[in-house]
Amino acid sequence: MVARRGLDLLDGRMLRLLRERPRDGLLEVARQLGVARGTLQARLDRLAGAGVVTGYGPDVDVAALGHGVQAFTTFEVDQPARAAIAARLRAVPQILEAHVVTGPGDIWCRIAGTSNQHVQQVIDLVLEVPGVRRSTTVIALSAVVPYRVQPLVDEVSGLSDRPPGRPFGSPAPLSVAGDTMRP
């Protein structure tokens, strides 16, 4: 079975194993999956070439680096200056990611700081950039769902118990004595 974007069950299982055990070599992963190492390498190369696999580095906990305060800041900007602003944002190490968004703001940033004051200094630095008009910030108290991709990989590849595309929260069919009925 091939899922959307060319992910099948073997791709999903491969990506899950590589994510769960990143230090295992491809030979070991291939052995666990019961396929040839060359098959696994070809699949990984195909997924990397298609932009599905984007990196192989370790995940880093910014709090363990001493940057335990995370903030989500929306900046309102002059549209003609957006490219120059984006270049300046890339130069600020504490800005973990930035996205152009819809709504009342224009650019949404995730900022890591050592303290609330440090986050304020980062925001003030960005507010000095020509074309940045104002900011709105919220401080994260805790992560209820940390960044993850594996549940989505599982769904797209067919590994998930939930059928692909089934809306979150939609009731699962009930099975009673072999018959399936809706709750």
Side-chain angles (χ1 to χ4, degrees), residues 21-60:
R21 303 179 67 170
R23 298 182 92 179
D24 283 359
L26 284 185
L27 184 60
E28 175 60 20
V29 172
R31 187 191 65 72
Q32 291 176 29
L33 294 174
V35 298
R37 184 200 165 284
T39 299
L40 200 69
Q41 184 67 61
R43 284 172 172 266
L44 195 55
D45 291 346
R46 176 181 53 84
L47 293 173
V52 174
V53 172
T54 58
Y56 301 95
D59 293 333
V60 176

Side-chain angles (χ1 to χ4, degrees), residues 5-78:
R5 299 283 176 176
L7 286 185
D8 63 16
L9 287 170
L10 180 57
D11 292 330
R13 291 174 56 219
M14 173 187 68
L15 292 173
R16 178 185 281 170
L17 272 175
L18 289 171
R19 189 152 201 66
E20 290 173 353
R21 303 179 67 170
R23 298 182 92 179
D24 283 359
L26 284 185
L27 184 60
E28 175 60 20
V29 172
R31 187 191 65 72
Q32 291 176 29
L33 294 174
V35 298
R37 184 200 165 284
T39 299
L40 200 69
Q41 184 67 61
R43 284 172 172 266
L44 195 55
D45 291 346
R46 176 181 53 84
L47 293 173
V52 174
V53 172
T54 58
Y56 301 95
D59 293 333
V60 176
D61 183 338
V62 295
L65 292 176
H67 288 67
V69 178
Q70 288 204 34
F72 300 96
T73 300
T74 303
F75 294 101
E76 291 181 19
V77 304
D78 295 331

Side-chain angles (χ1 to χ4, degrees), residues 19 59 97 110 143 145-149:
R19 189 152 201 66
D59 293 333
E97 59 184 310
R110 185 169 72 139
V145 179
Y147 179 79
R148 72 219 175 118
V149 294

Side-chain angles (χ1 to χ4, degrees), residues 96-108:
L96 303 178
E97 59 184 310
H99 302 268
V100 173
V101 297
T102 62
D106 300 303
I107 298 177
W108 175 92

